[in-house]
Amino acid sequence: EISACLVGSEMCIRDSLKTIYPDKSLREIIDKYPTPQMVMIGSESTGKSTTLENLTKTVIFPSHHSTCTRCPIRVVMVPTKEGETPSSTVTFRGEVTHVADLSLLKKEIEKLFILIGSTSTSGYTEDEVTITFVQPGVFRIDLIDLPGIVSYPPPAREFTTSLCLRYIKNPNSFCLLYTSDAADDMQCV
């Protein structure tokens, strides 16, 4: 029922756009506007990564009791074109890894987090990991999971806060703010 409603809405939107822009292809119209991005912001261990996994219906992140997300993770959802085969890739610092089996995606991300933790003095980096899913039945959107904002040590607090502010300032972002019921005033963002 929901998918029929979404497909119906998509058809309505497509017809409306063709009426407004009769001499442009749908691709030209869509490419004219930047892709929206949903940014997950909050303290550590408040459910940001879990929400992203629920939205993508894919297990992506390792889960530990210590800091997990060590850099911005951009999940790019791209609908397949007719006849296109679904695919997934992970890109970090220009290196692209094709992930044919989605059950191995979590291991790929865990390897990158270990690399970042062992090569960065702070344990964080502002370099994005981009996970691209080309799948049927998805809408084009970017989902961004940021490292949780921490209050201590001060350099980590400054890094995580400034990183969040940078993403908030993007006019194409809409932000989901996460907080824990158990957080005291010192932990709340």
Side-chain angles (χ1 to χ4, degrees):
E1 234 178 75
I2 291 173
S3 61
C5 175
L6 292 175
V7 170
S9 297
E10 185 179 317
M11 295 297 283
C12 180
I13 292 168
R14 184 179 299 142
D15 292 343
S16 297
L17 288 172
K18 288 306 278 176
T19 302
I20 297 167
Y21 303 102
D23 16 330
K24 298 220 182 264
S25 72
L26 190 58
R27 177 59 47 207
E28 289 173 306
I29 297 166
I30 291 170
D31 287 345
K32 180 179 177 181
Y33 299 99
T35 302
Q37 59 184 26
M38 182 187 312
V39 183
M40 318 292 175
I41 296 174
S43 301
E44 287 185 303
S45 302
T46 54
K48 299 177 303 294
S49 300
T50 302
T51 299
L52 200 142
E53 287 183 334
N54 286 325
L55 288 169
T56 62
K57 303 293 185 223
T58 306
V59 176
I60 300 173
F61 302 105
S63 53
H64 299 288
H65 297 290
S66 62
T67 301
C68 288
T69 307
R70 299 193 169 274
C71 64
I73 307 287
R74 179 179 298 269
V75 177
V76 179
M77 306 296 291
V78 181
T80 52
K81 296 177 183 138
E82 194 169 321
E84 186 176 18
T85 305
S87 64
S88 302
T89 59
V90 175
T91 306
F92 184 62
R93 295 179 176 158
E95 187 175 323
V96 179
T97 304
H98 294 275
V99 182
D101 181 355
L102 290 181
S103 68
L104 301 176
L105 186 58
K106 180 178 174 177
K107 281 280 188 213
E108 265 317 301
I109 300 304
E110 189 166 31
K111 284 193 291 187
L112 290 176
F113 286 176
I114 291 169
L115 172 71
I116 292 165
S118 66
T119 58
S120 167
T121 55
S122 68
Y124 297 99
T125 182
E126 60 185 32
D127 298 336
E128 278 188 352
V129 170
T130 302
I131 303 167
T132 304
F133 292 111
V134 179
Q135 303 288 329
V138 299
F139 290 97
R140 178 66 183 95
I141 190 167
D142 289 7
L143 307 167
I144 301 171
D145 185 27
L146 296 178
I149 298 173
V150 296
S151 56
Y152 191 81
R157 179 185 62 233
E158 290 170 25
F159 175 83
T160 56
T161 303
S162 68
L163 186 64
C164 287
L165 289 173
R166 189 171 81 213
Y167 281 88
I168 289 171
K169 289 179 182 178
N170 183 325
N172 297 315
S173 293
F174 58 100
C175 303
L176 297 178
L177 179 61
Y178 290 78
T179 185
S180 170
D181 292 344
D184 62 25
D185 290 339
M186 290 301 291
Q187 293 176 317
C188 290
V189 182

